[in-house]
Amino acid sequence: MHTLHTGTVPEGSTEQWRDAKRYLWLIGLVVPSLAFVAFAVYAGTGFTPIMWIGPVVILAVVPVIDLAAGLDTSNPPEEIIEALEADRYYRWITYAFLPIQYAGFLLACYLIAKGHLPGDTHQLSLAGRIGIAISIGCIGGIGINTAHELGHKREANERWLSKIALAQCFYGHFYKEHNHGHHVRVATPEDPASARMGESFYRFWPRTVVGSLRSAWNLEKRRYARRHTHPFHLGNDVLNAWLMSASLWTAVTVWLGVGVVPYLVLQAVVAFSLLEVINFMEHYGMRRQKVGQPGRERYERVNPSHSWNSNNIATNVLLYHLQRHSDHHANPTRRYQALRDFKESPVLPTGYAGMIVLALIPPLFRRVMDPRVVAHFDGDITLANVQPGKLEKLLLKYPAPATHTAEAANADLTRQQFDDGVRAARCPGCGYVYEVDAGNELEGFAAGTAWKDIPDDWCCPDCGVREKVDFVALTQALP
């Protein structure tokens, strides 16, 4: 298993580089617009099956387009990434997703409750109501991906927009767990959002749904413990996100009646299940190895070999480069338009849309993916993240080599040593700076909290990749 960090930028191609997908990113707004396509067709024809447009497009149409449209391995060169990320055109595309998402959501709720659209005479059947609830759930699930893109950014307004996007599906704790839980523990047995080899999606689903919720709460509980108080405050990122969802659902129920509640629950379950099936495939079987001296071991840093990637262009423009997952985990604050492909990243056989279909059929998914996991670890699945109790059975099918070398990346990880006089320290990954004089109230560190008093297992609050021991001391606090 090789971990050379090599992109796919052709030599000599950086001087005149332009984003060939610049206007293709607008296709991402097609997904929230599907609701209005359904409404228009239904109003004009009374054709009830159109209400199922969401799952039909995601599970049938997009996989076919992925296969037809092919791959895109182009990378932005390193020297233009800063300018590319500063181009506000790209972030306005993600902002535009939200009003379209919520306009469709509210109109769908009205249709479900009243049985017809405003000014329309067609009466929607039960099958039609279920169909539009599932379609709105599919849109909400893609909306979680928009929330994912926004939630990783440093700007406070984008982080709040992330929570707004999550409110529809009552999954606001994802904001906390994903950024400070999953990104810290990714590709390890401790991570509820990293699937294990031999684990089916139907077994993974309850483990990740319950485990992620529990993890998000514990993260906030620990944060408030550093403030020497209980976690029941409005500043709690789990509570305020749930409060947004509760307020939205209550307003819709008061407006349209309690009959809409079962459909609200249905669309929410569809939405977060769509998220979790994507989580299931993104790190299936991947495991970071432990390095360091006995008693002081830690997981190797995240690198491009720990996430499954795909360069199918159709799904990539629909999901804001989510399929370039390796670079996202290495650089979580990097904006979607600047994410790169790496040669050493394990590659899925098709785009996420097609992989969702495979994941829903466990024997087919394992037949396709297990050999790829084995190949990724050079035939040694003892290095993989395997479902407990399944290793012996899997070894009968995929015997491990007589000897193996666990080549862990960054095996020479260093632990920075600071004296008590350090006034500031910088994350070498994303550039976040902790200043002793300012502290970090959001993380539970009051102004003046000394660097030596920061817990050793504390991770960078911006990228979630580097731990305290990775930080680099600055000679003086910033002005």
Side-chain angles (χ1 to χ4, degrees):
M1 178 177 62
H2 303 290
T3 53
L4 298 174
H5 292 211
T6 54
T8 57
V9 181
E11 291 185 10
S13 68
T14 62
E15 292 80 1
Q16 302 297 324
W17 190 90
R18 294 292 184 274
D19 183 9
K21 301 192 290 289
R22 181 176 179 86
Y23 299 107
L24 289 180
W25 295 116
L26 291 168
I27 294 175
L29 299 179
V30 168
V31 172
S33 302
L34 291 177
F36 297 96
V37 173
F39 299 149
V41 172
Y42 180 70
T45 66
F47 184 63
T48 300
I50 193 64
M51 294 300 166
W52 295 81
I53 190 171
V56 169
V57 168
I58 291 174
L59 300 180
V61 176
V62 176
V64 172
I65 296 176
D66 256 342
L67 293 175
L71 306 177
D72 167 38
T73 57
S74 63
N75 277 345
E78 189 70 35
E79 60 265 30
I80 64 94
I81 283 180
E82 183 177 354
L84 187 62
E85 290 200 314
D87 189 339
R88 297 187 68 85
Y89 163 81
Y90 294 96
R91 66 187 70 180
W92 278 105
I93 293 176
T94 57
Y95 299 168
F97 191 103
L98 272 65
I100 304 173
Q101 172 189 348
Y102 271 96
F105 168 73
L106 294 174
L107 193 53
C109 290
Y110 181 93
L111 175 58
I112 289 169
K114 303 298 184 181
H116 60 83
L117 293 166
D120 187 22
T121 57
H122 299 106
Q123 196 66 24
L124 191 63
S125 65
L126 176 61
R129 286 180 168 89
I130 294 173
I132 193 60
I134 291 176
S135 290
I136 288 298
C138 289
I139 293 169
I142 303 301
I144 295 178
N145 179 58
T146 305
H148 167 261
E149 170 65 22
L150 294 168
H152 275 293
K153 303 305 173 278
R154 295 185 174 96
E155 290 80 355
N157 67 307
E158 293 189 277
R159 293 185 175 188
W160 278 105
L161 286 174
S162 174
K163 293 180 183 180
I164 291 172
L166 292 165
Q168 173 186 326
C169 53
F170 227 114
Y171 221 57
H173 57 277
F174 169 81
Y175 167 82
K176 186 67 183 184
E177 157 56 20
H178 180 81
N179 290 9
H180 297 94
H182 172 62
H183 270 263
V184 174
R185 300 183 301 250
V186 63
T188 70
E190 292 82 7
D191 181 30
S194 292
R196 300 157 178 171
M197 183 180 182
E199 182 178 35
S200 74
F201 169 65
Y202 303 103
R203 186 164 185 168
F204 171 78
W205 187 92
R207 181 171 72 85
T208 188
V209 170
V210 175
S212 295
L213 191 155
R214 183 185 296 121
S215 173
W217 181 256
N218 286 337
L219 286 166
E220 284 298 82
K221 184 178 178 181
R222 192 179 310 139
R223 181 167 74 94
Y224 276 94
R226 293 197 289 261
R227 298 183 180 186
H228 308 290
T229 185
H230 59 79
F232 297 97
H233 296 271
L234 280 179
N236 183 315
D237 283 325
V238 175
L239 288 182
N240 59 47
W242 285 350
L243 183 60
M244 291 171 69
S245 293
S247 300
L248 174 66
W249 283 29
T250 298
V252 170
T253 303
V254 170
W255 173 38
L256 297 171
V258 295
V260 77
V261 172
Y263 298 96
L264 288 174
V265 174
L266 174 60
Q267 64 85 28
V269 172
V270 170
F272 67 70
S273 295
L274 186 58
L275 161 74
E276 298 301 358
V277 74
I278 291 175
N279 272 339
F280 173 73
M281 69 184 72
E282 284 176 334
H283 306 283
Y284 179 78
M286 297 294 99
R287 193 178 84 187
R288 290 150 58 197
Q289 308 304 313
K290 286 192 172 182
V291 296
Q293 299 298 320
R296 291 172 58 86
E297 292 178 317
R298 55 188 293 207
Y299 285 109
E300 61 181 318
R301 293 189 191 124
V302 179
N303 68 61
S305 72
H306 297 135
S307 306
W308 291 98
N309 273 21
S310 171
N311 273 317
N312 289 82
I313 189 169
T315 312
N316 258 334
V317 295
L318 280 175
L319 298 179
Y320 307 122
H321 262 165
L322 180 65
Q323 296 178 139
R324 290 192 171 181
H325 212 58
S326 295
D327 197 15
H328 166 67
H329 270 280
N331 301 283
T333 60
R334 179 164 289 171
R335 294 187 181 274
Y336 68 92
Q337 67 270 22
L339 292 175
R340 301 158 298 169
D341 169 64
F342 292 95
K343 292 179 180 178
E344 64 271 25
S345 300
V347 180
L348 294 169
T350 188
Y352 279 8
M355 291 303 300
I356 291 172
V357 179
L358 287 180
L360 297 177
I361 311 171
L364 183 58
F365 181 85
R366 287 196 292 268
R367 178 175 294 184
V368 171
M369 289 301 297
D370 283 5
R372 285 173 164 80
V373 176
V374 174
H376 178 70
F377 288 103
D378 296 330
D380 191 354
I381 63 169
T382 63
L383 301 177
N385 185 10
V386 177
Q387 174 70 13
K390 291 288 186 74
L391 181 59
E392 290 187 8
K393 183 178 179 180
L394 286 169
L395 282 172
L396 292 176
K397 187 174 183 179
Y398 305 107
T403 60
H404 67 77
T405 55
E407 181 191 344
N410 307 303
D412 59 343
L413 287 174
T414 58
R415 291 175 176 267
Q416 304 290 342
Q417 300 294 325
F418 303 122
D419 59 34
D420 293 348
V422 67
R423 305 305 301 166
R426 173 182 283 126
C427 171
C430 70
Y432 165 82
V433 174
Y434 176 81
E435 294 187 75
V436 171
D437 291 343
N440 188 321
E441 289 290 345
L442 284 177
E443 288 293 298
F445 304 128
T449 301
W451 182 251
K452 66 182 179 62
D453 294 329
I454 303 296
D456 287 341
D457 62 353
W458 177 73
C459 285
C460 173
D462 277 356
C463 70
V465 173
R466 298 301 184 96
E467 298 172 333
K468 174 191 174 183
V469 294
D470 296 318
F471 275 54
V472 177
L474 302 180
T475 55
Q476 60 184 13
L478 299 181

